[in-house]
């Protein structure tokens, strides 16, 4: 017993090797000496001094049990295991020990809650609809979610990953709706992670995705609590991570990445129009410049004579082959974008517009690029920004390079070959075991009402069938199962 | 990991082997829009090509380059032309081919073979017969604003769309030329004092240019060929009183009846028109007056039409496709027998004109 | 039977539609109009209908055999003819599918060489297409049929045929039934080539959930093919005069010249590239079934046989130098296909009617 006590003290001493660890012993005036220790940067001194110290000073003669009951703080624990003490200390708890009670330690949360307040979403901004976004604190995020799903069926399962970062992770799902197979898979994959730092949900997402080689995101990240709540309701699961303002949703399919959540707040006609627009924008942005390269280097026949003369005149003085011209322009756009992302936002805007215009005009005047191509590249860059999901939009920007190379290699045929490879890749891709191209393949007609178009809510009597939900009816009245 | 590396190695491999496919970067090739073929010395054909040379922005900076070469095959001639041109010729944009009348009289199909064989040449290309030599026409200076080929292309397109020229292109020529019981026809163009004019229709027997129709005959011919929505017709009522009628809609229908072995044809033409102009003083158009105009126009359609058909029969050519029509209505149709019957066919035209309006004046 | 197929990898029966339909719309589709019109002229459309009906009959017989055995043709052969002779027959099937894939590959490359790039090397295109096919086949049957589904994209170009209407001569379809029965039979034989490919369902049969339900989807696929061919043949017959049609090498592609959009013309160049998407699923289906047969006979893993067969196809394609050689192979394919469809399947049908119960091999 005594031995062990020494052991405990030893360990505390070891921690005190770090100069921000405080061990405060009070023994002179009292018959019941006690120790209190904590990491200075992690605790909130106000709580410590206003709530705990007065109580301790008065009741030091009581046992820890009594003290435990009296402390006006919810996060507290009475333990004699060093491991949980250590964990607590590292999270901003204070450990209180009475010499008389040996290893018995009361740990109590006096952590400083540093962090942002809930703000409006920046990436998935919407004009209509709620304007709350997740923050870095998982408690705050779960709070935002619970407020939208006040039912006991919503379950969370908490875990910790990262050998050093010890990040807290919560997997949320709806019991009785979500297919457990998906939840079990994701939990298994998270438990299987063996890495020192997992700092953000995007890192986590890369670690638990089905295909790590693919450039397509296979889990949807979102900062909108309403989107997560709706996803849970449909039978998807969500993964939260402490320290990350984005939740991951899965399983997902390709069409979901082109959904801006505002689509559900707009009238369905407009929502459908914008979704189709986005789909065409994405296709255009991927192949526009490669079509230009194919047409100018191989397929002059396909272009009508009148357009052809415009094309030829615009290219007449340009010394480069079309592929170099296009690659340089595409890289320039990516460069502007990257510069914009790295610079403080106020300067970035200037770089974006002025840089774009100046470089564009100068490039044409110096006969480095044709004005037709400039228009195409600018339009396709614009089109790529319509993708609501940031990770998908970067994927789409990268995708145009293989298409450009394909166009250079075999013109239209090369584009088609690259397209076919892309298609097969997408067909093989899975998100937590669910096919990526659903509802187009495997064809699920009933899911098409909320894919590239959004039909009115009255046409959604069931949850998407690709999620294989336990309970498919979305209404309180049962509808017949097929 | 190795797989990924080897996959990456494939990319430069394909790009380097890309050299084996010939590129045709649009500003580094010459794109002839119009070509002319003529009879050359001896059994040779002479090929003339006119292609635009673009210099920077704007149509005004377009130069036409015209070059000619003669050889036994048009492909060879193309090779000779290539020797004097700085960038390679690509024929994918060829939109008009002109045939000199001398060549056309001797048969056009040999000269056209390479065009029909080349998948890059569009079958929508126009063919036309030049009254004179094609080379002369292409070398003349008649199009200042526009590249010559596009000018000719638009000229023919517009005459088909809103003029009297019956629709035709390389495909339709080939259709009639190869089709049984049908002979082709092409527009006939002429260079008149630095202007190009479509003067009528060149009629072919098989692939030989044998006769031509003038402008007026072509108008009636078109009515017999297809449904039309264009064209203006003129009827002379007196020596100084002419009425001009706009064709709003015309329909044509063929009927065949076989009596005593020889088929008899009836062509029914129905036209709905509108009076556009009357060269008479202060005239009020009354119903009897309308009736008279209708009858006059109908009569002129019948007269000209029947006269045309008689001429076709005499020449033994069948641009209207009576043979084709007979084939579709006869079991085991025999082309040889048909050729014997053709000059003796009885063809009647039944034309009716209905004038529906008189324009803004009564 | 080589291993039971896991419940998870079973496909829903309607996917049989895509497999059957894509397999049928192969190379035959590009040329059948001239081949048939050469023999029966304006009556070609009747031949198309007749062949379509024949194939419905063939499907019906095929499914009677398959339904009774509840297994694929590989095991049925082994059960009927004994292990040895059955495997010889299976090898014949393997060869047939490889030939099918090989000719498809070479013909599509030839089309590319004529229309797009006269100087592109055969080996480079075969290599890349077979890489693509292997990539898809390794993704499993589900991926292969997914490729089939997406290859149907070429139907978006079908409405363009409406543009042809002003050029059409409907008189060309008359007089109907102006040819003798023997001519019609010969033309039907020719036409059979364009309908071939359904036989592949005999390999795929056990991969569908409730496989007997896939029958109606295969019928539907055949009906769709017939309808599509009817549209094509009607368009070609009325668009070209007979002698012209006989001279045209690829009528389907030639038709597409006549469409124009304000800035795009010459659609046949786009169609040639769309055709690529039509060749890929056929390659995948053939490779997949060849490796399946190999697996059942020899128990070699598909991951070994698929690259091997792909290499065979590539060599086959490279060895065919010109169109006359390709045409020769088409004729063999047609012969084998005719024998298979009109000889083998009816025979199996009769045998399976006689046999009381098929014993598992």
């Amino acid at each position: 017993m005594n031995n062990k006590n020494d052991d405990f003290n030893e360990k505390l001493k070891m921690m005190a090797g770090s100069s921000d660890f405080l061990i405060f012993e009070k023994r002179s005036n009292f018959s019941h000496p006690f120790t209190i220790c904590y990491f200075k940067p992690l605790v909130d001194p106000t709580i410590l001094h206003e709530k705990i110290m007065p109580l301790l000073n008065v009741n030091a003669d009581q046992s820890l049990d009594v003290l435990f009951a009296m402390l006006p703080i919810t996060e507290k624990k009475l333990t004699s295991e060093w491991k949980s003490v250590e964990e607590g200390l590292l999270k901003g708890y204070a450990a209180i020990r009475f010499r008389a009670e040996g290893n018995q330690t009361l740990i109590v949360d006096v952590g400083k809650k540093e962090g942002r307040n809930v703000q409006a979403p920046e990436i998935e901004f919407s004009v209509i609809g709620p304007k709350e976004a997740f923050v870095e604190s998982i408690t705050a995020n779960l709070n935002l979610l619970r407020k939208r799903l006040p039912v006991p069926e919503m379950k969370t399962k908490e875990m910790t990953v990262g050998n050093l970062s010890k990040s807290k992770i919560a997997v949320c799902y709806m019991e009785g709706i979500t297919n457990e197979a998906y939840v079990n898979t994701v939990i298994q994959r998270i438990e299987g992670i063996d890495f020192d730092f997992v700092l953000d949900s995007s890192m986590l997402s890369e670690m638990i995705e089905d295909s790590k080689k693919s450039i397509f995101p296979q889990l949807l990240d979102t900062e909108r609590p309403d989107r997560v709540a709706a996803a849970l309701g449909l039978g998807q699961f969500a993964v939260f991570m402490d320290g990350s303002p984005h939740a991951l949703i899965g399983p997902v399919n390709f069409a979901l990445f082109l959904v801006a959540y505002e689509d559900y707040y707009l009238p369905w006609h407009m929502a459908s129009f914008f979704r189709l627009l986005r789909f065409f924008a994405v296709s255009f942005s991927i192949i526009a410049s490669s079509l230009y390269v194919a047409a100018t280097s191989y397929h002059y026949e396909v272009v009508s004579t009148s357009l052809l003369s415009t094309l030829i005149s615009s290219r007449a003085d340009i010394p480069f082959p079309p592929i170099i011209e296009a690659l340089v322009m595409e890289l320039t756009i990516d460069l502007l974008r990257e510069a914009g992302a790295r610079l403080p936002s106020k300067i970035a805007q200037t770089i974006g517009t002025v840089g774009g215009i100046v470089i564009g005009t100068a490039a044409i005047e110096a006969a480095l690029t044709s004005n037709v191509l400039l228009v195409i590249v600018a339009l396709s860059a614009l089109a790529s920004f319509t993708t609501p999901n940031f990770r998908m939009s970067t994927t789409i920007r990268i995708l145009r390079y293989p298409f450009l190379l394909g166009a250079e290699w075999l013109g239209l045929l090369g584009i088609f070959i690259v397209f076919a490879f892309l298609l097969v890749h997408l067909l093989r891709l899975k998100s937590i075991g669910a096919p990526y191209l659903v509802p187009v393949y495997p064809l699920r007609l009933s899911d098409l009402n909320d894919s590239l178009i959004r039909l009115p809510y009255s046409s959604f009597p069931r949850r998407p069938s690709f999620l294989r939900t336990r309970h498919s009816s979305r209404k309180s009245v049962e509808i017949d199962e097929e | 990991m190795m797989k990924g590396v080897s996959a990456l190695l494939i990319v430069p491999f394909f790009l380097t082997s890309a050299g084996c496919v010939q590129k045709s970067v649009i500003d580094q090739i010459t794109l002839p829009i119009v070509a002319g073929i003529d009879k050359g010395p001896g059994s040779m054909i002479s090929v003339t090509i006119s292609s635009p040379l673009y210099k920077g922005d704007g149509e005004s900076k377009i130069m036409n380059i015209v070059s000619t070469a003669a050889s036994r095959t048009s492909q060879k001639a193309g090779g000779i032309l290539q020797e004097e041109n700085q960038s390679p010729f690509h024929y994918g944009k060829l939109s008009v081919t002109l045939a000199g009348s001398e060549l056309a009289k001797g048969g056009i199909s040999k000269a056209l073979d390479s065009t029909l064989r080349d998948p890059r040449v569009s079958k929508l290309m126009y063919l036309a017969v030049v009254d004179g030599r094609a080379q002369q026409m292409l070398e003349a200076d008649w199009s200042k604003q526009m590249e010559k080929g596009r000018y000719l292309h638009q000229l023919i397109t517009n005459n088909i769309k809103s003029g009297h020229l019956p629709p035709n292109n390389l495909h339709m020529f080939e259709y009639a030329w190869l089709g049984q019981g049908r002979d082709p026809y092409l527009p006939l163009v002429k260079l008149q004092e630095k202007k190009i004019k479509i003067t009528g229709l060149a009629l072919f027997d098989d692939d030989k240019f044998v006769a031509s129709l003038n402008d007026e005959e072509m108008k009636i011919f078109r009515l017999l060929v297809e449904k039309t929505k264009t064209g203006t017709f003129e009827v002379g009522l007196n020596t100084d009183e002419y009425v001009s009628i706009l064709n709003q809609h015309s329909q044509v229908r063929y009927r065949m009846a076989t009596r005593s072995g020889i088929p008899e044809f009836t062509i029914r033409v129905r036209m709905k028109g509108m009076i556009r102009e009357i060269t008479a003083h202060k005239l009020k158009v009354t119903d009897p007056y309308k009736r008279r105009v209708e009858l006059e126009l109908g009569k002129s359609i019948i007269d000209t039409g029947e006269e045309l058909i008689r001429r076709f029969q005499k020449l033994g050519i069948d641009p209207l496709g009576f043979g084709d029509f007979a084939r579709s209505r006869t079991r085991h149709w025999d082309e040889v027998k048909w050729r014997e019957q053709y000059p003796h066919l009885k063809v009647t035209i039944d034309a009716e004109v209905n004038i529906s309006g008189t324009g803004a004046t009564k | 039977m080589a291993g039971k197929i896991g419940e998870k990898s079973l496909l829903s029966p309607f996917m049989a539609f895509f497999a059957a339909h894509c397999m049928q719309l192969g190379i035959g589709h590009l040329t059948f109009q001239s081949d048939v019109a050469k023999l029966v002229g304006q009556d070609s459309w009747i031949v198309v209908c007749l062949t379509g009906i024949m194939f419905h009959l063939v499907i019906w017989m095929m499914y009677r055999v398959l339904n009774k055995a509840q297994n694929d043709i590989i095991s049925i052969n082994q059960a009927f003819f004994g292990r040895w002779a059955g495997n010889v027959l299976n090898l014949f099937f393997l060869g047939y599918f490889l030939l099918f894939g090989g000719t498809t590959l070479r013909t599509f490359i030839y089309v590319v060489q004529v229309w797009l790039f006269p100087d592109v090397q055969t080996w480079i295109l075969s290599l890349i297409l077979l890489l693509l096919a292997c990539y898809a086949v390794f993704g499993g049957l589900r991926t292969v049929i997914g490729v089939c589904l997406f290859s149907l994209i070429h139907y978006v170009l079908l409405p363009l045929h409406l543009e042809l209407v002003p050029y059409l001569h409907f008189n060309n379809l008359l007089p109907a039934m102006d040819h003798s029965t023997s001519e019609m039979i010969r033309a039907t034989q020719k036409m059979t080539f364009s309908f071939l490919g359904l036989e592949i369902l005999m390999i795929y049969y056990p991969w569908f959930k409730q496989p007997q339900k896939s029958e109606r989807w295969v019928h539907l696929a055949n009906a769709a093919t017939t309808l599509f061919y009817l549209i094509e043949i009607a368009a070609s017959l009325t668009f070209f005069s007979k002698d012209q049609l006989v001279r045209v090498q690829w009528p389907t592609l030639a038709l597409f010249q006549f469409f124009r959009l304000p800035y795009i013309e010459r659609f046949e160049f786009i169609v040639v590239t769309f055709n690529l998407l039509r060749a890929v699923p056929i390659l995948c289906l053939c490779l997949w079934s060849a490796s399946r047969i190999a697996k059942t006979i020899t128990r070699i893993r598909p991951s070994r046989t698929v690259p091997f067969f792909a290499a065979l196809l590539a060599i086959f394609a490279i060895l065919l130098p010109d169109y006359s050689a390709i045409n020769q192979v088409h004729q063999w394919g047609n012969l084998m296909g005719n024998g298979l469809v009109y000889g083998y399947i009816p025979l199996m049908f009769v045998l399976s009617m006689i046999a009381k119960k098929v014993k598992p091999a």
Side-chain angles (χ1 to χ4, degrees), chain C residues 171-214:
Chain C
N171 275 343
N172 286 1
L173 293 177
L174 292 171
M177 298 293 286
D178 199 25
H179 292 83
S180 68
T181 322
S182 70
E183 278 174 320
M184 296 293 249
I185 289 174
R186 268 178 50 219
T188 310
Q189 252 170 26
K190 269 259 182 236
M191 192 63 212
T192 302
F193 185 57
S194 310
F195 274 89
L196 288 179
L198 284 172
E199 314 82 73
I200 209 152
L201 261 298
M202 298 197 286
I203 310 285
Y204 285 70
Y205 181 79
W207 291 80
F208 296 110
K209 266 175 238 158
Q210 300 167 298
Q212 49 283 22
K213 276 199 180 166
S214 62

Side-chain angles (χ1 to χ4, degrees), chain B residues 14 17 20-22 92-93 119-120 122-124 169 171 174-175 178-179 325 327-332, chain C residues 114-117 119 124 128 167 169 171-172 174-178 239-241 243-244 257-258 265-266:
Chain B
F14 280 117
S17 64
C20 55
V21 181
Q22 193 81 42
K93 277 282 153 210
R120 302 213 154 226
S122 171
K123 288 270 167 71
L124 282 171
N169 52 36
H171 163 74
E174 199 193 9
Y175 182 93
L178 291 173
F325 192 79
R327 181 199 57 74
S328 72
R329 298 291 189 277
T330 322
R331 294 203 162 263
H332 308 298
Chain C
V114 171
W115 286 84
L116 281 178
F117 305 114
D119 45 358
I124 202 164
I128 197 101
Y167 289 99
H169 298 79
N171 275 343
N172 286 1
L174 292 171
M177 298 293 286
D178 199 25
F239 185 77
F240 297 106
S241 55
D243 294 334
Q244 194 184 11
Q257 291 191 358
F258 295 87
E265 46 192 48
R266 309 303 298 280

Side-chain angles (χ1 to χ4, degrees), chain A residues 416 419 423, chain C residues 148-157 274 277:
Chain A
F416 259 76
F419 173 70
L423 191 67
Chain C
C148 293
L149 170 78
F150 278 94
S151 80
L152 295 185
I153 268 189
H154 70 85
Y155 276 121
V156 300
L157 295 174
F274 263 85
L277 269 185

Side-chain angles (χ1 to χ4, degrees), chain A residues 36-310:
Chain A
I36 178 161
C37 46
Y38 51 85
F39 277 101
K40 207 164 52 176
L42 291 179
V43 302
D44 189 343
T46 338
I47 306 180
L48 194 67
H49 290 289
E50 284 182 1
K51 293 195 175 154
I52 297 180
M53 291 316 280
L55 208 70
L56 263 177
N57 285 336
V58 177
N59 300 304
D61 53 341
Q62 306 284 340
S63 72
L64 274 176
D65 283 329
V66 179
L67 199 66
F68 179 78
M70 286 166 73
L71 275 176
I73 289 168
T74 20
E75 292 285 324
K76 57 192 173 179
K77 199 176 171 189
L78 209 52
T79 176
S80 57
E81 273 175 50
W82 170 246
K83 210 167 171 333
S84 44
V85 174
E86 186 188 67
E87 237 173 58
L89 285 171
L90 289 168
K91 281 182 191 163
Y93 284 50
I96 303 163
R97 301 177 61 221
F98 286 179
R99 175 161 304 166
E101 295 190 39
N103 269 354
Q104 192 74 322
T105 311
L106 171 65
I107 52 173
V108 53
D109 186 9
V110 286
K112 213 190 287 182
K113 298 287 178 267
E114 294 267 301
R116 295 186 290 141
N117 292 327
V118 173
Q119 285 163 344
E122 274 180 23
I123 301 161
E124 292 171 83
F125 180 78
S126 71
V127 180
I128 312 175
K131 289 180 187 54
E132 278 181 324
F134 289 131
V135 289
E136 281 77 3
S137 149
I138 192 167
T139 342
N141 291 350
L142 287 174
N143 169 284
L144 287 172
L145 181 63
R146 278 261 180 223
K147 274 198 294 191
R148 287 172 172 79
L149 277 173
V151 284
E153 283 84 7
M154 197 203 101
K155 306 282 181 205
T156 63
K157 185 153 170 45
E158 295 195 1
M159 279 167 285
T160 320
V161 295
N163 304 336
L164 292 177
S165 65
K166 300 284 179 210
S167 325
K168 202 160 119 190
I169 282 175
V171 178
C172 308
Y173 60 96
M174 301 290 286
E175 202 173 52
I177 295 177
T178 318
N179 191 324
E180 299 84 24
Y182 293 130
V183 181
N184 292 340
T185 315
V186 75
I187 288 175
Q188 223 169 41
R189 287 193 191 162
I190 293 175
E191 279 168 350
I193 292 174
D194 184 13
F195 201 64
D196 53 356
F197 273 100
V198 183
L199 292 178
D200 187 61
S201 58
S202 51
M203 278 177 85
L204 180 72
S205 142
E206 192 184 313
M207 290 171 186
I208 61 175
E209 273 169 355
D210 295 59
S211 163
K212 272 123 196 144
K213 283 180 199 154
S214 175
I215 59 168
F216 284 90
Q218 295 142 52
L219 288 169
L220 181 78
D221 58 317
T222 179
E223 55 169 358
R224 297 186 65 99
D226 46 345
R227 185 165 198 177
V228 176
L232 288 185
L234 287 181
Q236 284 159 310
F237 62 78
V239 182
F240 287 91
M241 189 174 145
D242 202 17
S244 163
H246 288 254
L248 297 174
I249 297 175
V252 287
N253 57 50
F254 182 73
L256 283 178
F257 284 94
L258 300 183
V259 169
Y261 208 72
E262 199 180 10
D263 293 350
Y264 293 98
Y265 304 134
L266 290 171
W268 65 273
H269 333 75
M270 279 151 230
S272 301
F273 172 72
F274 289 130
R275 275 196 198 173
L276 283 175
L277 188 73
R278 259 177 247 138
F279 178 72
F280 285 116
V282 165
S283 327
F284 177 82
S285 129
I286 292 176
I287 59 167
S289 53
S290 39
L291 281 182
Y292 170 85
V293 171
T296 48
S297 7
Y298 292 104
H299 307 293
Y300 65 89
E301 302 100 335
V302 178
V303 185
S304 75
T305 315
S306 53
L307 181 63
L308 195 66
S309 57
T310 320

Side-chain angles (χ1 to χ4, degrees), chain B residues 240-257:
Chain B
D240 59 345
E241 189 177 350
Y242 286 89
V243 183
S244 145
I245 295 134
L246 178 78
N247 173 18
Q248 286 174 311
H249 184 67
S250 87
Q251 271 186 318
V252 61
R253 212 166 149 192
Y254 285 61
R255 267 168 210 275
M256 188 179 95

